[in-house]
Amino acid sequence: MRNPWAMKMEQFTAFTAAERMRLDTVLASKQQAFLAQEDIIADGAHSDYCHVLLTGLACRYKILPDGERQIMAFLVPGDLCDAEIFILKKMDHAVGTLTASTTAMIHSSEMKTLLREASPISEALWWGTMTDLGVLRERIIDQGRRDATERLAHLLYEMLVRYRVSGATETNTIDFPITQTDLADATGMTPSHVNRVLQRFREDGLIELRSRTLTITNPARLKSLAQFSAAYLHLDRTEAEDPAVFARAGNLISAS
């Protein structure tokens, strides 16, 4: 099984065989399976473990007093769900699954060691935190400046890039169990508005969406429509070196 966490972090720096083995060992030590629509960690909860998503799809979300849900970010394999939990007394938002998912559980003591030591792994973990914040900033820009078409196009293209980086796909097709309600909660649109925009994308030959699978049939046009720049994902090695292991993600970003 590929280690999506290591693949994501190797966008920042190349690991040695020993460093990859160490990350494999950390992920294999304790894992937990979740059903769809189940909290990995609830709003207001505390845990002695951090979770790395290995399979499935999850999201960061907040339930407002009126019962409305705001999704701040979708989490794909390789994403660290709650790196901050061992510092905070309790979570200020929830992380929940959208599909059946598996996480690796990293004890807080191990995470502290990884973050505090002077090593490529430590630097890559901090890089990962910065890219997560970059994704969050893009959602703020969505709400403030992008129109409905741009924000949905941007989100779809971003998901494809992030799935490629983690090794979850090598094509323009990704698992996409995200519902129109999920997309509405992530973009500030209504489900009916999301449906209209997606239908327009289909009619324009930009995407195919069927059986919980999304195929971006014209990445170049979708990228242009979204005015997408991958700078906020900080894909350093993809852009600088483009070695074979990163060529697929790099080609998507540079050539599409």
Side-chain angles (χ1 to χ4, degrees):
M1 176 181 176
R2 288 178 172 178
N3 182 332
W5 192 36
M7 290 191 70
K8 176 184 175 181
M9 289 194 292
E10 282 204 284
Q11 283 293 326
F12 173 75
T13 186
F15 293 139
T16 65
E19 288 164 343
R20 292 192 193 98
M21 184 176 296
R22 182 182 180 189
L23 290 172
D24 289 345
T25 300
V26 168
L27 292 194
S29 62
K30 187 177 180 66
Q31 297 183 2
Q32 184 174 1
F34 294 89
L35 300 175
Q37 309 301 323
E38 185 177 359
D39 277 346
I40 295 173
I41 185 163
D43 192 353
H46 180 79
S47 174
D48 291 326
Y49 290 89
C50 300
H51 296 81
V52 176
L53 192 66
L54 299 181
T55 64
L57 185 70
C59 68
R60 300 185 190 280
Y61 73 94
K62 187 84 174 180
I63 300 295
L64 303 181
D66 62 1
E68 293 293 318
R69 179 182 64 163
Q70 177 66 52
I71 293 177
M72 285 85 75
F74 292 109
L75 301 174
V76 303
D79 285 343
L80 188 57
C81 301
D82 48 4
E84 67 275 24
I85 189 57
F86 71 89
I87 297 174
L88 303 176
K89 291 183 178 179
K90 59 183 181 180
M91 287 286 282
D92 56 18
H93 65 281
V95 177
T97 62
L98 296 174
T99 67
S101 303
T102 304
T103 68
M105 301 175 64
I106 307 173
H107 195 270
S108 59
S109 60
E110 179 71 25
M111 184 58 70
K112 287 178 183 178
T113 298
L114 290 172
L115 286 170
R116 290 172 176 171
E117 66 186 22
S119 72
I121 292 176
S122 174
E123 293 179 356
L125 283 170
W126 287 114
W127 166 87
T129 298
M130 295 300 102
T131 60
D132 291 343
L133 291 174
V135 170
L136 179 58
R137 285 190 291 270
E138 289 300 314
R139 300 291 81 79
I140 295 173
I141 296 170
D142 280 347
Q143 302 297 330
R145 293 298 177 186
R146 293 188 179 110
D147 64 26
T149 297
E150 291 168 345
R151 71 180 68 167
L152 197 52
H154 196 281
L155 180 58
L156 297 182
Y157 194 88
E158 175 192 282
M159 293 293 289
L160 177 59
V161 173
R162 291 172 60 201
Y163 267 105
R164 282 195 167 198
V165 166
S166 71
T169 185
E170 298 179 359
T171 69
N172 291 334
T173 298
I174 61 174
D175 291 333
F176 202 77
I178 301 173
T179 67
Q180 291 181 9
T181 298
D182 296 332
L183 289 173
D185 288 348
T187 60
M189 300 159 62
T190 64
S192 59
H193 196 178
V194 168
N195 181 60
R196 289 194 296 272
V197 175
L198 290 176
Q199 184 60 34
R200 187 160 63 249
F201 287 172
R202 292 189 186 95
E203 292 170 354
D204 291 344
L206 300 178
I207 66 169
E208 291 181 359
L209 187 57
R210 62 183 65 174
S211 302
R212 296 161 61 93
T213 299
L214 170 69
T215 299
I216 297 181
T217 49
N218 195 327
R221 283 185 61 199
L222 188 68
K223 180 181 180 182
S224 176
L225 182 63
Q227 301 179 43
F228 185 92
S229 168
Y232 69 99
L233 295 174
H234 302 288
L235 303 177
D236 299 356
R237 294 188 64 217
T238 290
E239 295 172 347
E241 301 175 26
D242 197 24
V245 69
F246 302 115
R248 291 179 295 273
N251 289 341
L252 175 72
I253 295 162
S254 60
S256 296

